[in-house]
Amino acid sequence: MYQQRAEPRTTDLVGLWEPEILRTDEKVIEFAPEPEDMYVVLDELISDQVRLAVSPWPHVDEAGRLRFSGSGSEPVGFGRDELQTELDLRRVSEGQQPRPLRIGDVLMVRGFGEKTEGWDRVLDVTAPARKAASRAGLRAVAQVDESAAGPVGAEPENTDAEASEPIWRRAPVQPTPTPTARPPAEASPGSVSNAAV
Amino acid sequence: MAKPKPVPAGKLDQADSFVEHVKARPDALVYFLCNVGDADAQLVLLPELGTPAKRQAVIVDVGRSDKIPPLLQSLDTEQLLDLDDATTDPIALVVATHPHLDHVRGLPELFALHGDRIAEYWDPGYYHVLAEYHQTMLEVESRPDLVYAQPTSGFRRWISDVAITVLSPSVQLRNRYDSYGIEINDSSISLRIEFPVHRYLEDRQKTEEGETIQTPPTRALVLGADAQTTSWSYVLGDFPFLFKSDTPAAKAIAAAQGNVDLLRSDVLKVSHHGSKHGVNLELVERVGPKVTLVSSVGEEGQFNFPHTVAQELIREAINPTEGLGDHPLDYLPDMNLFYTADIDTSNATLGTIGLVMSVDACSMWRFGDEPDHVVDFTKARRWEVDLW
């Protein structure tokens, strides 16, 4: 059977995902995730309405992949203005930059409920979450060389091209066929259209 | 938003058996547009092929975890699909049109249940921070035999007796994903599915003498995913059609294209749940559908789908008023415009839409299911007249 990619590597979970979250002054925000925290994605944004996709906070495995529980996400609707106002306040209080809502924003929400007043803590984790998603896509199809990969959120080290060449690109070693002797070439009559050939 | 007008209850009849009807039409392609509310879940049962004759399934979006898997199981139970077929992958292709929750919800569960039965998986290559995206990519990684592709416009794939052409995303959009520059809906994979596409043998002597090769008649569906106006503008450019006049130059150009509009289709699944951003007049006019379908809730949806302006332009494209005044939003039977949210005049939910399509006939069936109910074939009601 045709196999498109290399066999997957099994990796163990190493704990709850702890992304590096920065303030606008580039100092790290103290954050120790708890199992009850929620991973909240701004999934859809149409006129004055927002759809959030809410799932339990993910674990991370040895390869840096985010591992979500089997239940997946639940959609929760919010008004755009209400959410924007709340997030502006929360971002400022954590030293993060207020900015307009965008599809693909990711929040850590402690004490999530359908009313924002009850939220205990909110952190914008969009940047590390986007890096993790990008890696999830590439890792699944390209089998990146995990020995060259750093922790999630870290910039990849500048390794030389030979060392970082993905192993899946290398063709399997084939035994060299023994060439059989070719019969001596006969004199070519030449091409009709190009007699020099 | 205009709630779809109730369909006259007398136009649907439960006398015929859906299963027996499908079994009697081995040449038919069966299309299910499942009732999953403001979401998409579609299953295409390809025509029978091979010896012994068997069907394969193509799944386009899953929408929720409790709709497509039970439908697959029912098809297997009724021997319309053999999920345990060891010689042919029963699920030839799964397409995640784009990674929004209302399209990929339940996709990891589908892979967990049926991953070994799936031959091929397509997504648009747009990475998203959603839990379901991570879970699905883990499933892909764990199945090295699963063929994975990120197709763009113009890609064509033949499966069984069916040709699947990718209309969008244009490669021009695909190459600009990796930023917030391309809206996620505009990454949607929209498809044109044409059948039957029999092989034919040329009569060399006749073709050398300039005689036109006669190809068999076909039928086609366009499945619009959630592609938005930007994406459709590329589609109209990638699949051009020049309306011919009587000038020699126009005739020559049209003849070079085979006089075929590459978007023309019998069935249009309207994109983005009837959103005003997902459909435009020129597109519907190019497709020229005999049947137009919308997957949406009726009136209680968060985003007010289907939007009135979208409903009106679809009506205008199908049945132009040509300046004769406003279109009534009442039910118009000849337009063959149906919604998964349809109810009948006795207030019964019509739910999932099933089309049993062959070259010469198309019957429509409604299964009466709510979004959180399974599709029950015994509850199928047949539309009183065939749609062609």
Side-chain angles (χ1 to χ4, degrees):
Chain A
M1 177 181 283
Y2 169 68
Q3 181 170 314
Q4 193 180 29
R5 296 172 298 282
E7 293 291 335
R9 300 180 188 185
T10 55
T11 51
D12 296 327
L13 298 183
V14 294
L16 290 169
W17 181 45
E18 295 187 36
E20 185 179 76
I21 313 166
L22 299 178
R23 297 162 49 98
T24 50
D25 60 8
E26 301 201 348
K27 290 180 180 172
V28 175
I29 296 175
E30 293 293 324
F31 166 57
E34 297 174 1
E36 296 77 22
D37 293 341
M38 300 306 259
Y39 177 93
V40 178
V41 172
L42 201 160
D43 187 51
E44 180 63 293
L45 179 59
I46 298 177
S47 58
D48 61 347
Q49 291 293 310
V50 174
R51 180 178 65 226
L52 301 180
V54 182
S55 58
W57 191 254
H59 286 76
V60 66
D61 68 17
E62 289 172 332
R65 290 175 291 208
L66 300 196
R67 305 289 284 268
F68 291 84
S69 66
S71 58
S73 309
E74 285 294 326
V76 182
F78 273 90
R80 180 180 195 152
D81 291 343
E82 176 198 2
L83 192 64
Q84 180 72 67
T85 303
E86 185 69 21
L87 289 188
D88 285 348
L89 291 172
R90 301 285 190 159
R91 282 171 169 145
V92 168
S93 71
E94 294 283 357
Q96 295 185 298
Q97 183 71 41
R99 57 181 176 79
L101 300 177
R102 291 188 300 207
I103 293 173
D105 284 347
V106 187
L107 308 168
M108 185 292 300
V109 179
R110 186 161 292 166
F112 182 85
E114 297 194 2
K115 297 288 182 187
T116 54
E117 303 91 68
W119 295 2
D120 295 331
R121 190 180 185 195
V122 180
L123 288 171
D124 184 338
V125 297
T126 303
R130 281 178 56 80
K131 280 184 182 173
S134 171
R135 287 186 172 201
L138 289 172
R139 187 186 300 275
V141 298
Q143 303 289 317
V144 293
D145 184 352
E146 292 174 2
S147 65
V152 173
E155 293 298 327
E157 293 178 14
N158 185 18
T159 54
D160 64 80
E162 178 63 27
S164 62
E165 183 184 356
I167 56 172
W168 65 273
R169 287 186 182 279
R170 293 183 182 143
V173 177
Q174 301 286 346
T176 307
T178 306
T180 54
R182 296 179 63 187
E186 297 178 1
S188 169
S191 164
V192 173
S193 59
N194 184 354
V197 176
Chain B
M1 190 279 279
K3 182 181 179 182
K5 197 81 172 175
V7 172
K11 287 186 169 291
L12 290 152
D13 183 354
Q14 206 168 352
D16 294 340
S17 160
F18 171 75
V19 172
E20 294 308 316
H21 181 76
V22 173
K23 285 182 176 174
R25 297 306 305 256
D27 61 325
L29 177 147
V30 186
Y31 170 67
F32 294 94
L33 179 62
C34 293
N35 182 17
V36 285
D38 271 346
D40 269 11
Q42 302 161 88
L43 189 149
V44 182
L45 202 56
L46 305 183
E48 286 187 7
L49 201 70
T51 307
K54 59 184 74 168
R55 293 179 183 269
Q56 290 179 285
V58 172
I59 294 167
V60 182
D61 289 333
V62 178
R64 50 187 299 148
S65 59
D66 54 2
K67 205 71 173 192
I68 292 289
L71 177 56
L72 285 168
Q73 196 57 55
S74 297
L75 292 168
D76 180 74
T77 302
E78 298 294 348
Q79 299 178 327
L80 298 175
L81 179 70
D82 183 3
L83 287 176
D84 296 321
D85 182 1
T87 58
T88 308
D89 291 302
I91 303 172
L93 172 65
V94 173
V95 180
T97 60
H98 67 295
H100 258 153
L101 183 60
D102 57 332
H103 292 251
V104 298
R105 196 176 183 202
L107 186 55
E109 289 91 332
L110 178 76
F111 271 107
L113 280 169
H114 297 294
D116 293 338
R117 302 179 171 100
I118 300 170
E120 195 164 335
Y121 172 62
W122 297 354
D123 75 15
Y126 194 108
Y127 69 82
H128 192 32
V129 289
L130 203 62
E132 281 74 5
Y133 176 76
H134 286 270
Q135 292 171 314
T136 301
M137 296 318 290
L138 271 171
E139 292 286 347
V140 171
E141 184 179 355
S142 71
R143 303 175 191 284
D145 297 333
L146 177 73
V147 175
Y148 171 78
Q150 299 173 353
T152 56
S153 62
F155 179 83
R156 185 172 284 181
R157 176 84 164 83
W158 286 264
I159 302 174
S160 181
D161 208 10
V162 176
I164 301 175
T165 304
V166 175
L167 302 180
S168 74
S170 169
V171 69
Q172 298 185 60
L173 292 176
R174 173 67 184 83
N175 287 337
R176 288 187 278 141
Y177 280 171
D178 203 16
S179 67
Y180 277 0
I182 301 301
E183 211 267 336
I184 187 170
N185 287 312
D186 277 328
S187 75
S188 287
I189 298 174
S190 56
L191 304 169
R192 182 174 184 271
I193 298 176
E194 184 177 10
F195 75 101
V197 285
H198 300 312
R199 289 173 292 179
Y200 58 87
L201 299 174
E202 295 179 14
D203 183 333
R204 177 171 292 180
Q205 186 175 352
K206 287 184 177 177
T207 53
E208 285 178 350
E209 290 170 358
E211 188 168 314
T212 306
I213 298 171
Q214 296 298 321
T215 54
T218 61
R219 296 288 179 180
L221 309 88
V222 166
L223 308 184
D226 275 6
Q228 308 276 283
T229 306
T230 300
S231 182
W232 288 121
S233 72
Y234 283 98
V235 171
L236 295 177
D238 287 345
F239 297 87
F241 184 73
L242 299 176
F243 289 97
K244 65 178 178 180
S245 65
D246 287 334
T247 65
K251 284 182 176 175
I253 292 170
Q257 289 186 313
N259 276 335
V260 174
D261 187 336
L262 300 171
L263 296 184
R264 181 68 61 179
S265 291
D266 302 284
V267 178
L268 170 64
K269 200 287 287 181
V270 172
S271 67
H272 205 214
H273 323 294
S275 149
K276 60 188 174 186
H277 307 289
V279 68
N280 59 72
L281 186 65
E282 293 76 10
L283 174 71
V284 184
E285 286 179 340
R286 282 281 308 273
V287 175
K290 295 180 175 64
V291 185
T292 308
L293 307 176
V294 180
S295 177
S296 74
V297 295
E299 59 177 351
E300 68 278 15
Q302 185 190 6
F303 300 115
N304 293 321
F305 300 144
H307 291 156
T308 304
V309 67
Q311 293 172 294
E312 289 182 340
L313 75 85
I314 291 168
R315 289 183 170 90
E316 179 64 25
I318 297 171
N319 184 17
T321 56
E322 298 177 6
L324 297 178
D326 293 338
H327 251 141
L329 290 176
D330 291 349
Y331 165 75
L332 293 174
D334 295 339
M335 297 181 73
N336 290 336
L337 171 58
F338 300 102
Y339 301 81
T340 54
D342 279 332
I343 57 171
D344 68 16
T345 46
S346 63
N347 214 30
T349 298
L350 299 189
T352 292
I353 300 168
L355 300 180
V356 183
M357 309 166 57
S358 50
V359 170
D360 60 333
C362 174
S363 60
M364 183 176 74
W365 303 72
R366 305 301 295 261
F367 297 90
D369 52 314
E370 299 286 352
D372 57 348
H373 292 173
V374 300
V375 175
D376 182 347
F377 295 153
T378 65
K379 293 181 178 172
R381 298 164 70 191
R382 182 176 179 174
W383 190 245
E384 64 172 358
V385 292
D386 283 355
L387 301 177
W388 65 73

